[in-house]
Amino acid sequence: MEKQVDVLIIGAGISGIGSAVHISKNCPQRSFEILERRESFGGTWDLFRYPGIRSDSDMSTFGFNFKPWAKEKVLASGPEIKGYLSEVINEFKLKEKIHFGHRVLSANYDSTKKKWLVEIEDNNKKKQTWSANFVLGCTGYYNYDQGYAPKFPHQEDFKGQLIHPQHWPENLDYKGKKVVIIGSGATAITLVPSMVKGGAGHVTMLQRSPSYIASIPSIDFIYEKTRKFMSEETAYKFTRARNIGMQRAIYALAQKHPKTVRRLLLKGIELQLKGKVDMKHFTPTYNPWDQRLCVVPDGDLFKALREGNASVETDQIEKFTANGVQLKSGKHLDADIVISATGLEIQILGGVKGSIDGKPMNTSHHMLYQGVMVSDVPNMAMIIGYINASWTLKVDVAADYICRLLNHMDKNGFDEVIALGNQADLMEDTVMGSLSSGYIARAADVMPKQGRRAPWKVTNNYLADRKELKNAKFNDGILQFSKRDEQADRKPKLVS
Ligand SMILES: Cc1cc2nc3c(=O)[nH]c(=O)nc-3n(C[C@H](O)[C@H](O)[C@H](O)COP(=O)(O)OP(=O)(O)OC[C@H]3O[C@@H](n4cnc5c(N)ncnc54)[C@H](O)[C@@H]3O)c2cc1C
């Protein structure tokens, strides 16, 4: 055994870094270490390097509640987000806590010792085993090794470059080249204007079906003004509260009056396109917020389309050819480069093989108690942020809850906590909710499941979670606590 750790955080992305700050502030009696398989922090914002990589959440809600995002730009680039995280790491002295190049392979809970034994591999393929009292999974929701890349017919015939945005080649030269981007999600709509700006000859966005896209101002003028006569912290709090309220109101309106919201969104796009592009490419068949709503700053995508440097096709791929993509409609798209912005391969716990007393656990057979604790698994929580709002909002409230729980255990001398689930509560939907996006549907075999009722029902509602997680009592008969020398009354009843 090489190291004994109190709280072990897996992953140094937004969730891992945010949780570490909450633990250091609220549970000073607890020590923690962070294991990160990459050579740097930031997770998503370190991995994705395609041109224009940026958030599509506003930074007042994508930033943490403990550190203002001190810029007027509403959306931030990948490097800016990494810069913000780097400030957090320095400010809260987390540097020496992060062990880079350390990948967690497996974690087995020993219920006699009430400890996790965690197998780790470093970048030199050297293995070590650490023990931990409590494991916090902050590994995001997708596979870092490979993106979701459906195989297209005759793909191998294509003589140009076929690229997945998750593996962007360094120094890709696309100046003057014909580029086809397959997809209509956040990545595709970011890439189109960025590659046009970067000098691509022509960029075609090839989508199977349209998505809702809203144009938002790139600068928050109200934040800019309020910062002049309020402290940075107050202005940030005010902007954050305003944006949380606004986003929630739009989401609720879309659920209640989908037709009205649809009309408004489509009108906005029509005004942007100015009759230069057929609205059929931006008229989805589903209701607003049945899939994540995409945003573009200052209508940059629509500008690129209007000016003719980019175009959009709504069609299906029949096959790849030597010099492009043959569509089912009969049209051929010539391409030097094809970018397959087809999404992520969903993965939970970063591929860590979990087990309890040697018995393998399958995360898709579990629920999340209060959206945080893995059902029937001792001393394990995971942070899965919102997908209908900024991910980070959930990180803050979930980490605070975990701190309260750890403090409750320490106050009462408990070494183990288990949230005992009832199989009858387990539903088909995953904790990511009922969005109809392809990647959520693909998550069913991997993601923990939604519960039928509280505290197993994941609401994906920040305001409700904030209230619930702040006040939730621990003596609800579901959480079972025990001390090291005590046998838990009920053994976890895993369904594998
Ligand atoms: C292109 C893109 C844009 C996005 N934009 C937004 C947005 O605008 N707003 C929003 O709310 N969400 C957005 N998301 C979702 C985004 O993933 C989250 O916002 C957030 O960054 C997730 O943070 P995280 O720390 O939970 O996970 P990640 O960022 O995925 O970080 C997980 C970390 O865990 C590490 N890790 C994984 N497995 C292991 C292991 N076995 N051992 C050790 N370390 C491991 C990884 O290397 C990584 O550093 C976006 C996602 C993508 C892919």
Side-chain angles (χ1 to χ4, degrees):
M1 191 73 58
E2 302 191 21
K3 190 157 178 145
Q4 296 202 10
V5 179
D6 189 357
V7 180
L8 183 72
I9 300 174
I10 312 177
I14 287 184
S15 303
I17 293 170
S19 300
V21 172
H22 283 276
I23 293 173
S24 65
K25 280 163 69 135
N26 301 326
C27 306
Q29 79 284 9
R30 288 271 179 165
S31 66
F32 64 87
E33 304 289 335
I34 307 174
L35 292 175
E36 169 53 56
R37 58 173 283 186
R38 296 173 67 74
E39 288 299 338
S40 186
F41 57 88
T44 299
W45 308 101
D46 182 50
L47 176 72
F48 281 85
R49 303 286 172 100
Y50 58 77
I53 167 80
R54 60 159 171 82
S55 71
D56 60 358
S57 295
D58 74 284
M59 289 307 294
S60 75
T61 59
F62 201 44
F64 297 114
N65 62 4
F66 54 80
K67 181 174 168 66
W69 169 255
K71 291 192 175 96
E72 289 91 4
K73 256 176 81 182
V74 176
L75 309 179
S77 68
E80 282 170 326
I81 297 171
K82 269 204 79 172
Y84 172 80
L85 292 173
S86 162
E87 284 175 25
V88 173
I89 289 172
N90 289 335
E91 228 168 275
F92 294 92
K93 302 190 174 40
L94 299 179
K95 211 167 178 179
E96 59 277 16
K97 298 278 182 194
I98 310 177
H99 304 264
F100 291 111
H102 281 60
R103 179 181 189 162
V104 179
L105 300 177
S106 67
N108 178 52
Y109 188 76
D110 181 334
S111 57
T112 326
K113 295 189 178 128
K114 298 198 192 303
K115 273 192 192 301
W116 285 97
L117 287 186
V118 179
E119 193 193 6
I120 302 158
E121 185 179 76
D122 69 17
N123 277 353
N124 302 320
K125 301 270 173 222
K126 202 172 146 246
K127 290 192 179 156
Q128 352 174 347
T129 306
W130 289 15
S131 80
N133 293 325
F134 196 95
V135 169
L136 179 53
C138 293
T139 48
Y141 63 105
Y142 61 87
N143 186 344
Y144 268 68
D145 294 321
Q146 61 193 60
Y148 176 66
K151 193 137 174 40
F152 300 106
H154 297 269
Q155 189 175 299
E156 57 289 345
D157 292 351
F158 182 51
K159 296 276 185 290
Q161 268 178 293
L162 177 60
I163 294 166
H164 192 285
Q166 191 164 326
H167 308 284
W168 198 264
E170 219 178 319
N171 307 321
L172 175 73
D173 178 15
Y174 57 86
K175 281 208 167 51
K177 301 214 168 136
K178 289 190 277 290
V179 180
V180 170
I181 301 173
I182 304 170
S184 61
T187 302
I189 65 169
T190 302
L191 273 168
V192 173
S194 305
M195 293 189 80
V196 165
K197 213 169 153 194
H202 186 86
V203 182
T204 308
M205 182 167 104
L206 170 60
Q207 57 180 13
R208 218 167 20 186
S209 55
S211 312
Y212 288 103
I213 301 173
S215 174
I216 57 164
S218 61
I219 302 288
D220 187 337
F221 292 107
I222 301 180
Y223 184 36
E224 199 181 17
K225 291 270 176 310
T226 48
R227 288 172 71 196
K228 294 203 172 114
F229 60 86
M230 282 180 192
S231 72
E232 188 70 65
E233 246 118 73
T234 315
Y236 181 63
K237 265 192 196 151
F238 167 78
T239 308
R240 196 174 152 87
R242 180 202 63 188
N243 288 358
I244 289 169
M246 246 164 47
Q247 284 158 16
R248 194 64 216 163
I250 293 169
Y251 183 73
L253 191 68
Q255 303 290 303
K256 214 167 168 198
H257 302 289
K259 282 194 184 131
T260 311
V261 175
R262 176 181 168 85
R263 228 180 9 253
L264 289 171
L265 285 169
L266 296 184
K267 190 74 209 162
I269 298 172
E270 209 180 311
L271 290 171
Q272 287 280 341
L273 293 176
K274 300 188 173 97
K276 298 257 170 68
V277 182
D278 195 326
M279 271 301 286
K280 74 174 183 195
H281 299 302
F282 294 98
T283 310
T285 49
Y286 59 89
N287 280 331
W289 270 118
D290 280 357
Q291 295 185 18
R292 196 180 165 106
L293 177 68
C294 296
V295 296
V296 290
D298 297 333
D300 63 357
L301 168 74
F302 302 116
K303 184 167 178 279
L305 293 169
R306 269 193 330 255
E307 291 177 353
N309 304 316
S311 52
V312 53
E313 295 291 338
T314 306
D315 210 320
Q316 288 191 37
I317 296 175
E318 187 180 291
K319 60 175 182 176
F320 272 56
T321 63
N323 48 7
V325 182
Q326 180 64 49
L327 303 178
K328 286 203 172 150
S329 64
K331 193 167 182 174
H332 185 272
L333 298 178
D334 291 347
D336 304 304
I337 301 174
V338 175
I339 297 162
S340 175
T342 39
L344 307 161
E345 188 181 286
I346 301 297
Q347 188 180 62
I348 201 76
L349 268 182
V352 174
K353 287 191 174 64
S355 55
I356 298 177
D357 295 325
K359 189 171 177 211
M361 66 188 241
N362 175 340
T363 38
S364 73
H365 293 170
H366 295 255
M367 298 176 285
L368 292 185
Y369 172 83
Q370 300 290 14
V372 179
M373 297 285 297
V374 187
S375 64
D376 300 318
V377 181
N379 294 0
M380 178 180 272
M382 61 171 76
I383 295 199
I384 300 176
Y386 296 121
I387 45 163
N388 62 350
S390 287
W391 183 276
T392 321
L393 291 172
K394 178 69 179 277
V395 176
D396 282 328
V397 290
D400 263 344
Y401 174 81
I402 292 162
C403 289
R404 270 206 317 123
L405 181 67
L406 292 174
N407 287 343
H408 174 80
M409 291 173 75
D410 292 345
K411 200 168 141 207
N412 294 285
F414 295 133
D415 298 295
E416 183 183 84
V417 56
I418 311 180
L420 289 168
N422 183 343
Q423 265 342 99
D425 284 332
L426 194 134
M427 295 175 71
E428 272 186 18
D429 273 349
T430 74
V431 291
M432 287 188 118
S434 56
L435 291 188
S436 65
S437 315
Y439 73 100
I440 308 257
R442 295 197 299 274
D445 294 340
V446 184
M447 279 275 161
K449 293 293 187 302
Q450 181 64 273
R452 203 170 296 281
R453 57 183 76 89
W456 303 105
K457 194 172 161 65
V458 176
T459 61
N460 283 312
N461 176 342
Y462 168 69
L463 294 175
D465 278 350
R466 192 174 65 174
K467 194 165 162 214
E468 175 60 25
L469 290 172
K470 205 169 177 175
N471 299 309
K473 300 265 183 293
F474 299 123
N475 59 350
D476 59 0
I478 296 174
L479 286 183
Q480 186 199 324
F481 297 94
S482 57
K483 298 184 178 170
R484 183 145 299 130
D485 45 5
E486 289 173 355
Q487 243 341 296
D489 290 345
R490 285 170 65 187
K491 283 273 176 209
K493 43 187 177 51
L494 274 185
V495 240
S496 289

